[in-house]
Amino acid sequence: MPATSIDQIVNLAKRRGYVYPASEIYGGLNSCWDYGPLGAELKRNVKDEWWRFMVHTRRNVVGLDSAILQHPGVWRASGHVDGFSDPLVDCKKCKARFRADDLESATCPVRNNVALNDECKSHFTEPREFNLMFQTHLGPVQDEGSLAYLRPETAQGIFTNYLNVQTTGRLKPPFGIAQIGKSFRNEITPGNFIFRTREFEQMEMEFFCPPDEWEQWYAFWKEQRMQWYLDLGLSPERLRWRDHEGTELAHYAKATADIEYELPIGWKELEGVACRSDFDLNAHTKGSGKTLEYFDGQTRERYVPWVIEPAAGVDRAMLCFLVEAYDEEEVDGDKRTVLRLHPRLAPIKVAVFPLVKKDGMPEKAAEIEGQLLARGISTFYDQSGAIGRRYRRQDEVGTPWCITIDGETLSDGTVTLRERDSMEQTRVPAAELGALISERLAG
Ligand code: ATP
């Protein structure tokens, strides 16, 4: 059974060092979070898995790392200055703020999160558009000329570099440019832990193709992206597609479908796959005066490619992986909390336990741990407390394998290898451990 409330994840995350409230010693900052040692590893693993799947296993996708601050002209041309807004209403009575397009599921933060009723709604102001881009100023003078924005999506840095990347790499459509990085949106109603925050990380890829091939690539990337989540352990019954209807489509989109996941707060968007047509390249051609097209030197053919974009959130994916992995079960009359994370996502791969703190076991354990670390397999060493308690602590943070070094290890060189999910224990030669774990991680 996955988590039944987000609070289960919030509590475990805080208790075990996955996620802490940001600025906690100052009382916290609304909907801002810091990733602790285990959270930083999980996040890195999610990003590494995405990069491997999207870039390293394909010949026609390359990477990019563009600046968060871009010329304001970028955001004017992309439509963000004029159009990247949500409708906002204020309650004149409670002074609470709401997204006018999200009143059905909204609750009042001022009045103990009670559901909104018609009376509430009679106190609302008319909706007004609120631009979600964070503003800042470059340099010491704060005037109109120094105004800049923090990027609300990583995609635009890809479009403005389209020609750089295409010509330096001598790339011919279809090809993709992938990027992972922070984005910022001054959300009206952030919340639900790391599901919606004002600072978050995105994993986006813009795939440039000949215009008449867009439908085939749109279908291809939809299939690929769903497969990625399934391969990393999200279950098919909690995943579904939702197509955007005509009026819901973004101003740049020809077609969009969201991958939704069933969180304890309902079905929610996890990733969007969109056909952005030639909107962005044309918009930046107009805005910058530089022609952004593809020219084939051999056939003399010239065209503006169309773009398919899979856009995912790192933090949101992390939340879904944690919710899916969370399990509570009864073992020998005790409650066992276990995170059944995919081994490649798990922050710690192997926990190393000497059975007792004497007879040379800690030294032997440290030696075996050293061999695992030398292969880049992350470990956690624990020599205190009953062995059962040590196993449970690792179950709770999602460590797929524990090894115990005991008297037999000293005489025949074998260790106990214990599996997180089945709790099965087998004896394995210590010398073979590194290869065995590497093989399982690769598979
Ligand atoms: P939503 O409708 O939830 O606001 P969106 O449709 O505006 O999301 P996109 O612009 O398509 O989102 O961004 C792509 C992905 O980036 C989303 O699917 C989500 O995973 C992530 N994302 C977007 N906004 C946030 C946010 N405020 N906090 C965390 N992740 C976000």
Side-chain angles (χ1 to χ4, degrees):
M1 264 295 278
T4 49
S5 84
I6 296 281
D7 280 347
Q8 285 174 320
I9 303 297
V10 178
N11 293 341
L12 185 141
K14 169 83 204 305
R15 197 170 63 243
R16 303 310 310 272
Y18 269 96
V19 185
Y20 311 120
S23 313
E24 194 183 13
I25 59 171
Y26 287 92
L29 184 64
N30 185 19
S31 294
C32 294
W33 303 94
D34 293 337
Y35 291 88
L38 297 187
E41 292 295 335
L42 174 57
K43 204 174 186 198
R44 174 177 290 265
N45 292 342
V46 168
K47 291 188 279 186
D48 284 352
E49 283 302 312
W50 187 88
W51 197 266
R52 197 167 69 89
F53 182 82
M54 299 296 285
V55 184
H56 286 171
T57 55
R58 300 171 202 272
R59 64 198 301 198
N60 61 349
V61 180
V62 295
L64 181 78
D65 190 346
S66 69
I68 287 172
L69 298 170
Q70 300 281 343
H71 189 289
V74 170
W75 309 113
R76 280 196 290 273
S78 67
H80 284 86
V81 171
D82 288 336
F84 193 59
S85 53
D86 278 340
L88 167 93
V89 291
D90 285 306
C91 174
K92 286 183 270 188
K93 198 164 166 210
C94 299
K95 308 287 177 235
R97 295 216 141 138
F98 303 95
R99 257 173 75 168
D101 58 348
D102 193 26
L103 292 179
E104 288 315 308
S105 56
T107 54
C108 178
V110 178
R111 295 193 301 124
N112 272 339
N113 285 321
V114 295
L116 302 183
N117 53 36
D118 288 341
E119 211 185 296
C120 294
K121 290 177 190 168
S122 68
H123 298 296
F124 286 176
T125 57
E126 283 298 305
R128 62 193 161 89
E129 289 299 317
F130 172 74
N131 194 295
L132 301 183
M133 278 198 295
F134 274 100
Q135 296 189 356
T136 188
H137 291 271
L138 301 185
V141 183
Q142 304 214 346
D143 63 12
E144 193 61 15
S146 65
L147 181 66
Y149 302 96
L150 303 191
R151 69 179 175 201
E153 62 177 28
T154 65
Q156 296 305 322
I158 297 180
F159 295 125
T160 55
N161 277 294
Y162 158 77
L163 216 48
N164 279 336
V165 177
Q166 190 267 317
T167 51
T168 52
R170 292 190 291 127
L171 298 167
K172 180 176 163 49
F175 72 88
I177 307 178
Q179 164 152 249
I180 299 178
K182 290 251 169 149
S183 291
F184 301 82
R185 297 181 187 179
N186 201 359
E187 301 276 1
I188 297 169
T189 49
N192 287 315
F193 193 34
I194 54 174
F195 177 79
R196 187 183 301 285
T197 49
R198 295 187 170 119
E199 171 183 349
F200 56 98
E201 237 172 321
Q202 289 188 305
M203 309 181 281
E204 299 194 292
M205 197 269 289
E206 308 303 319
F207 193 77
F208 301 89
C209 68
D212 60 354
E213 290 180 14
W214 80 265
E215 276 165 308
Q216 124 197 10
W217 289 112
Y218 181 59
F220 174 81
W221 284 111
K222 277 178 64 181
E223 188 274 325
Q224 292 282 294
R225 292 307 306 146
M226 183 61 95
Q227 197 56 47
W228 187 76
Y229 291 107
L230 292 167
D231 288 350
L232 289 174
L234 296 191
S235 50
E237 62 273 19
R238 278 185 285 278
L239 282 166
R240 71 178 186 195
W241 281 105
R242 191 180 70 80
D243 282 317
H244 284 213
E245 304 296 338
T247 50
E248 194 193 350
L249 282 174
H251 59 282
Y252 53 75
K254 177 88 180 161
T256 301
D258 291 341
I259 296 179
E260 293 190 333
Y261 180 77
E262 192 178 20
L263 284 166
I265 48 173
W267 286 92
K268 296 286 174 191
E269 173 183 338
L270 173 53
E271 164 161 356
V273 180
C275 169
R276 297 182 76 127
S277 69
D278 52 3
F279 176 88
D280 301 271
L281 291 181
N282 283 338
H284 288 302
T285 294
K286 211 166 143 213
S288 68
K290 305 274 184 312
T291 307
L292 303 178
E293 59 182 15
Y294 172 68
F295 174 64
D296 189 320
Q298 260 168 350
T299 62
R300 318 303 290 169
E301 190 191 6
R302 227 177 248 289
Y303 62 87
V304 181
W306 275 40
V307 172
I308 306 300
E309 172 197 76
V314 179
D315 317 74
R316 227 175 250 194
M318 244 182 92
L319 179 62
C320 296
F321 287 129
L322 285 170
V323 164
E324 176 86 35
Y326 188 94
D327 195 12
E328 286 176 4
E329 60 181 15
E330 203 167 299
V331 178
D332 304 331
D334 257 359
K335 187 178 85 172
R336 175 171 98 119
T337 304
V338 50
L339 274 188
R340 301 184 192 277
L341 285 171
H342 189 289
R344 281 213 293 270
L345 295 180
I348 302 164
K349 308 299 184 208
V350 181
V352 180
F353 307 149
L355 186 63
V356 289
K357 271 190 263 184
K358 53 181 189 190
D359 302 337
M361 289 182 205
E363 291 76 12
K364 187 72 190 161
E367 182 194 316
I368 295 171
E369 184 184 25
Q371 287 162 8
L372 295 172
L373 287 171
R375 283 178 174 261
I377 296 170
S378 57
T379 61
F380 181 82
Y381 182 87
D382 187 0
Q383 60 176 24
S384 56
I387 200 80
R389 295 264 312 273
R390 286 186 253 170
Y391 283 144
R392 291 296 156 78
R393 278 204 291 267
Q394 292 306 309
D395 289 342
E396 208 187 22
V397 296
T399 306
W401 301 288
C402 296
I403 56 167
T404 302
I405 286 83
D406 55 19
E408 255 179 280
T409 315
L410 304 175
S411 57
D412 71 2
T414 62
V415 297
T416 301
L417 176 67
R418 188 253 195 193
E419 313 271 341
R420 175 196 65 199
D421 293 345
S422 63
M423 294 185 285
E424 217 172 79
Q425 303 190 7
T426 46
R427 290 228 51 109
V428 177
E432 289 172 19
L433 265 179
L436 188 113
I437 302 291
S438 299
E439 200 177 296
R440 291 196 187 176
L441 287 170

